[in-house]
Amino acid sequence: GPSPDAPVMLPLGAGQQISSPGTGIDTLLANGWVRTASDQSSVTGVALLAGAGGSMDALPLASAGDSAWLLTGVEMGNGVSTEVVLANTTGTDGQVALYLRDPTGAQVDMAVRTLAAWQSLHEGADSLFPNAPQPFRGFILLQSTQRVVAARVWQGGSTLAAVNGQTPAGPGA
């Protein structure tokens, strides 16, 4: 099968789309995530996510990494959970600090994770923040020493909702 050192090259004509089954990409996806490149700026992607009870959502793929992200809509307890999905988009190991904040912006808990070059992380907010009160609603501010992409996946009952992170606005924005 394909390896990270032997890229899969797929031609894509105007108006065409490619899905991973049958392309060899699924083998790479089993290890976390796939880095893509295109010679055209109009090529974009989406990840299809499936949860318990047949729930599904589509997450547009982030176009660029950044060192700071906001993950909104974080909830834990009362039958709902939030998972944090990160990927280091660089060839250098990095440290990621995640700050859990309540709706007022007050810090509730914090976690630090190391992401090796090109590594991804998929971890529940309850695991990242064991000291958080339950139930909890708020957001995560994360800062990394390397460029990462970030998203959160919310699950409650048979509902699944995935949202890409937002880059924080600078002063005066």
Side-chain angles (χ1 to χ4, degrees):
S3 78
D5 299 324
V8 175
M9 300 294 287
L10 301 170
L12 184 64
Q16 289 185 321
Q17 66 182 17
I18 294 174
S19 62
S20 59
T23 63
I25 296 174
D26 282 345
T27 303
L28 296 172
L29 286 172
N31 294 323
W33 65 288
V34 174
R35 183 172 51 134
T36 61
S38 173
D39 61 359
Q40 300 294 317
S41 63
S42 61
V43 176
T44 62
V46 65
L48 297 176
L49 306 170
S55 58
M56 293 186 73
D57 198 6
L59 181 67
L61 300 181
S63 60
D66 206 317
S67 61
W69 291 95
L70 286 172
L71 300 177
T72 59
V74 174
E75 294 186 53
M76 296 180 279
N78 289 338
V80 298
S81 64
T82 302
E83 297 178 9
V84 174
V85 182
L86 307 173
N88 180 347
T89 61
T90 72
T92 305
D93 295 357
Q95 293 282 319
V96 181
L98 302 106
Y99 303 93
L100 183 67
R101 299 187 180 246
D102 69 16
T104 70
Q107 184 172 313
V108 174
D109 202 355
M110 111 171 265
V112 176
R113 296 293 185 265
T114 299
L115 283 179
W118 311 117
Q119 183 183 18
S120 63
L121 169 84
H122 190 149
E123 188 171 351
D126 56 345
S127 171
L128 285 164
F129 308 110
N131 299 319
Q134 299 282 328
F136 176 83
R137 286 184 177 195
F139 64 96
I140 296 170
L141 169 65
L142 72 88
Q143 296 175 315
S144 176
T145 59
Q146 299 297 329
R147 286 187 328 272
V148 297
V149 290
R152 66 98 175 123
V153 180
W154 180 94
Q155 294 185 10
S158 62
T159 303
L160 177 82
V163 176
N164 280 318
Q166 304 169 30
T167 54

